[in-house]
């Protein structure tokens, strides 16, 4: 039978957390996951990826994240935990299922996949914020000899050719990869916007303990504090000491925003230049809801219009968006609160 109370699109941490909440309410639901194995969206990231949140801050409702609470898990730990979570609660996940179209007729939703048509009274889009890799237009003028990768496709240093690397993007992934590569070769780290560096631990305690105690993780986006934090670039957790030391030795060169690349010469906003053989685009992602055939849901930039995940279209909601409600909404361990809230309002 292909008829449900709720269809959840996306089997990552957001979709699984909502599945937990719906199962407790005895709702008839299904989770659609395009990967063939739960957690593959984590497994497919670059090899050395380490979460900046300790294990104690990565648990979903009802099941602790395995391991020593104050240690940082890697991407495979995160993937295995999600797989364990789905099995532990026996959540109904349809793996290898790509959604081709979501449409709305009357009071019912239709979800078209390559193999079937599914129907539901309500649909929750839990595909997260990482859809289409964004690469700036300046990449179009690169010399053919330059090896370039977006962080979505990048796995490890073996994909690079000899010579300097330009890492473009000032987020946590860009900082981690830049520091790693600078141990073996010259790295130019282009930061398009100024970001603060915060330590991972203070006096032996995770910085998130202090952020939690100060209310920084739970401040609603609508509050004064939430508005101030949401408008500022996310900080980089850790790496300040490594960046400073590598910069002092010349292994890592910090530059401003990359504005032009001609051949293998990159030019930056401050007028300086660098010759590079490789470029890693740590420039993030753009939303892609091409399969969403429901009007009045997205803004002019293709981003969901919602309040705490609930849209103006009755029965259609989102989950797993950055700042969906609080700073914690973007964290694996914070999405559970949004899922529990949404389950009460479906």
């Amino acid at each position: 039978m292909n008829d449900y109370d709720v269809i959840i699109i996306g089997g990552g941490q957001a979709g699984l957390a909502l599945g937990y909440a719906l199962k407790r309410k005895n709702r008839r639901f299904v989770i659609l996951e395009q990967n063939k194995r739960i957690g593959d969206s984590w497994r497919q990231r670059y090899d050395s990826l380490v979460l900046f949140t300790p294990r104690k801050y990565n648990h979903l409702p009802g099941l602790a994240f395995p391991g020593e609470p104050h240690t940082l898990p890697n991407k495979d730990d995160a993937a295995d935990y999600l797989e364990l979570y789905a099995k532990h609660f026996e959540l109904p996940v349809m793996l290898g299922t790509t959604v081709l179209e979501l449409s709305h007729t009357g009071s019912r939703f239709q979800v078209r996949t390559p193999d079937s048509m599914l129907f539901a009274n309500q649909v929750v889009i839990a595909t997260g914020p990482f859809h289409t890799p964004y690469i700036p237009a300046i990449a179009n003028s690169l010399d053919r000899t330059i090896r370039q990768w977006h962080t979505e496709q990048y796995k490890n240093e073996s994909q690079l050719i000899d010579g300097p690397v330009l890492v473009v993007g000032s987020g946590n992934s860009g900082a981690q990869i830049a520091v790693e590569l600078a141990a073996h070769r010259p790295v130019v780290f282009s930061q398009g916007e100024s970001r603060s560096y915060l330590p991972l631990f203070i006096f032996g305690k995770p910085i998130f303990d202090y952020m939690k105690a100060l209310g920084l993780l739970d401040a609603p986006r609508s509050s004064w504090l939430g508005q101030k934090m949401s408008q500022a670039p996310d900080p980089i957790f850790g790496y300040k000491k490594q960046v400073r030391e590598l910069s002092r030795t010349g292994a890592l060169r910090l530059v401003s925003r990359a504005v032009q690349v001609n051949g293998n010469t990159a030019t930056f906003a401050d007028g300086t230049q660098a010759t590079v053989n490789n470029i890693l685009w740590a420039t993030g992602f753009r939303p892609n809801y091409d399969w969403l055939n429901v009007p009045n849901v997205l803004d002019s930039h293709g981003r969901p219009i919602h309040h705490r995940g609930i849209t103006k279209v009755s029965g259609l909601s989102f989950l797993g968006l950055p700042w969906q409600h609080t700073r914690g909404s973007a964290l694996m361990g914070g999405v559970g609160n949004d899922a529990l809230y949404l389950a009460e309002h479906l």
Side-chain angles (χ1 to χ4, degrees):
M1 185 176 179
N2 292 341
D3 201 300
Y4 301 91
D5 296 331
V6 183
I7 292 176
I8 302 171
I9 301 176
Q13 55 261 27
L16 296 179
L18 181 59
Y20 164 86
L22 293 180
K23 187 164 186 179
R24 295 178 68 194
K25 292 180 172 293
N26 296 316
R27 304 293 295 277
R28 176 173 167 76
F29 69 97
V30 67
I31 302 172
L32 308 182
E33 169 56 40
Q34 66 176 353
N35 289 306
K36 295 182 179 180
R37 184 180 175 189
I38 291 174
D40 272 356
S41 59
W42 282 99
R43 291 187 188 90
Q44 292 163 3
R45 301 294 301 279
Y46 60 93
D47 292 348
S48 59
L49 175 62
V50 175
L51 281 69
F52 53 73
T53 46
R55 295 171 190 268
K56 64 184 288 187
Y57 286 101
N58 292 322
H59 67 272
L60 299 180
L63 185 67
F65 197 109
E68 204 287 313
H70 285 179
T71 60
L72 302 177
N74 61 37
K75 53 135 183 162
D76 292 325
D77 294 330
D80 292 344
Y81 170 67
L82 295 183
E83 194 168 49
L84 171 67
Y85 190 87
K87 290 180 179 178
H88 182 80
F89 292 111
E90 299 180 334
L91 299 179
V93 182
M94 290 177 58
L95 294 170
T97 303
T98 300
V99 172
L100 301 178
E101 183 183 32
L102 169 62
S103 57
H104 186 226
T105 303
S107 61
R108 302 280 287 163
F109 290 93
Q110 300 178 133
V111 177
R112 181 167 59 89
T113 75
D115 302 316
S116 62
M117 186 76 79
L118 309 177
F119 304 90
N121 298 321
Q122 301 178 87
V123 171
V124 178
I125 300 174
T127 53
F130 306 121
H131 299 159
T132 301
Y134 170 70
I135 297 179
I138 58 174
N140 296 331
S141 57
L142 287 179
D143 189 279
R144 292 182 180 180
T145 62
I146 288 184
R147 186 70 57 86
Q148 64 169 323
W149 302 91
H150 188 276
T151 51
E152 185 189 51
Q153 294 85 27
Y154 177 71
K155 300 300 179 184
N156 54 57
E157 191 173 359
S158 68
Q159 294 169 285
L160 307 179
I161 58 177
D162 291 340
V165 181
L166 170 62
V167 178
V168 181
S170 55
N172 282 276
S173 293
Q176 182 180 342
I177 293 173
V179 166
E180 282 179 6
L181 293 177
H184 308 117
R185 63 173 75 209
V187 172
V188 181
F189 187 18
S190 171
Q191 299 179 296
E193 55 188 352
S194 177
R195 300 211 185 200
S196 59
Y197 282 76
L198 299 178
L200 284 168
F201 296 90
I202 301 176
F203 301 120
K205 295 180 62 176
I207 190 173
F208 285 89
D209 284 1
Y210 300 93
M211 295 176 71
K212 181 76 172 178
L214 293 172
L216 299 180
L217 295 182
D218 301 319
R221 184 174 187 172
S222 58
S223 68
W224 175 86
L225 179 59
Q227 290 181 20
K228 188 174 181 63
M229 289 193 299
S230 63
Q231 292 169 3
D234 283 343
I236 295 175
F237 291 94
Y239 303 109
K240 182 177 183 178
K241 181 178 179 181
Q242 296 99 313
V243 167
R244 184 171 58 237
E245 178 62 21
L246 290 166
S247 298
R248 186 187 64 80
T249 64
L252 180 67
R253 176 185 166 195
L254 294 176
V255 297
S256 58
R257 181 170 59 90
V259 295
Q260 188 176 13
V261 183
N262 285 325
N264 63 348
T265 300
T267 303
F268 307 102
D270 58 6
T272 60
Q273 293 183 320
T275 300
V276 296
N277 293 5
N278 305 271
I279 297 183
L280 281 175
W281 302 105
T283 42
F285 297 79
R286 294 293 183 268
N288 184 353
Y289 297 102
D290 288 348
W291 46 270
L292 177 54
N293 187 19
V294 180
N296 305 318
V297 176
L298 305 177
D299 65 16
S300 59
H301 300 286
R303 299 185 178 92
I305 304 170
H306 69 95
H307 174 69
R308 297 196 67 173
I310 300 171
T311 74
K312 294 181 178 180
V313 176
S314 179
L316 181 60
S317 307
F318 287 82
L319 183 61
L321 301 175
W323 279 100
Q324 179 154 322
H325 180 51
T326 67
R327 172 67 178 84
S329 294
L331 305 178
M332 180 181 286
V335 72
N337 291 330
D338 292 332
L340 296 175
Y341 172 87
L342 202 57
E344 292 297 325
H345 290 78
L346 287 177

